Amino acid sequence: LEAFAHAEPHALAPHLRPLSVYLALREGPSGEDQLFAQQVCRILSAVLPQVPETRGLLDHERAQRDLQALVRNQPSTGVHEAMVCLCAMIKYVTGDLGQLVVHFNAAVPALCALLAPAGAQQPQLTHIQAMFVSRQLWVLSAISEGLSIDTY
């Protein structure tokens, strides 16, 4: 489907609403469910920029809530896919930067605190801290790749 989304985005556009249902993961999702949600994120990210009229294609409020949950609960690569999709949703559907401000305001201070050099030494991060840093870097990179903040 992802290849079809890139090749024929207009043909896939009417199917975005049923596809977006798969962004909502149930409690304790399997790895397969997470991979499928990531695939749906890639499809949405490929189709939304190519469709001239996005109104009514999907329930964007529910999709944004589901994407926010994916950002909070997915492994790092899932965080990246969900943030890229969220940026596409904001850029091409809603224009609501408030969805990103929450992540931006959390990521920047956390990264500054964790990565601030303690004297001349490199900070020693625990495994959990390193995973958190990875997730926050994915968030910031997706925002900077997906949106030109200065144009809003």
Side-chain angles (χ1 to χ4, degrees):
L1 273 178
E2 186 180 355
F4 186 70
H6 287 284
E8 295 292 333
H10 299 288
L12 197 55
H15 305 285
L16 293 185
R17 185 177 293 270
L19 269 177
S20 67
V21 170
Y22 294 102
L23 294 173
L25 296 179
R26 62 185 182 275
E27 196 68 30
S30 69
E32 187 175 297
D33 290 341
Q34 290 177 340
L35 288 174
F36 195 73
Q38 291 172 26
Q39 185 72 26
V40 171
C41 285
R42 286 191 292 273
I43 291 167
L44 288 171
S45 298
V47 172
L48 287 175
Q50 304 301 321
V51 179
E53 182 56 49
T54 58
R55 250 182 309 166
L57 284 179
L58 60 135
D59 180 356
H60 65 83
E61 290 177 2
R62 179 172 176 89
Q64 285 179 310
R65 277 194 310 272
D66 294 340
L67 288 167
Q68 293 286 3
L70 288 175
V71 169
R72 286 189 305 273
N73 301 320
Q74 286 264 60
S76 290
T77 54
V79 170
H80 183 251
E81 297 298 341
M83 282 304 298
V84 168
C85 188
L86 185 59
C87 287
M89 183 90 56
I90 290 165
K91 187 173 184 177
Y92 300 105
V93 180
T94 69
D96 179 14
L97 285 179
Q99 297 281 322
L100 297 179
V101 170
V102 172
H103 295 290
F104 199 79
N105 285 342
V108 171
L111 288 172
C112 288
L114 284 171
L115 300 176
Q121 293 181 330
Q122 187 118 35
Q124 294 294 325
L125 300 176
T126 66
H127 178 70
I128 298 296
Q129 287 174 322
M131 287 175 31
F132 179 76
V133 166
S134 170
R135 294 172 64 79
Q136 298 309 309
L137 289 172
W138 278 122
V139 165
L140 292 177
S141 71
I143 292 171
S144 63
E145 290 170 10
L147 292 171
S148 176
I149 301 288
D150 294 334
T151 61
Y152 283 87

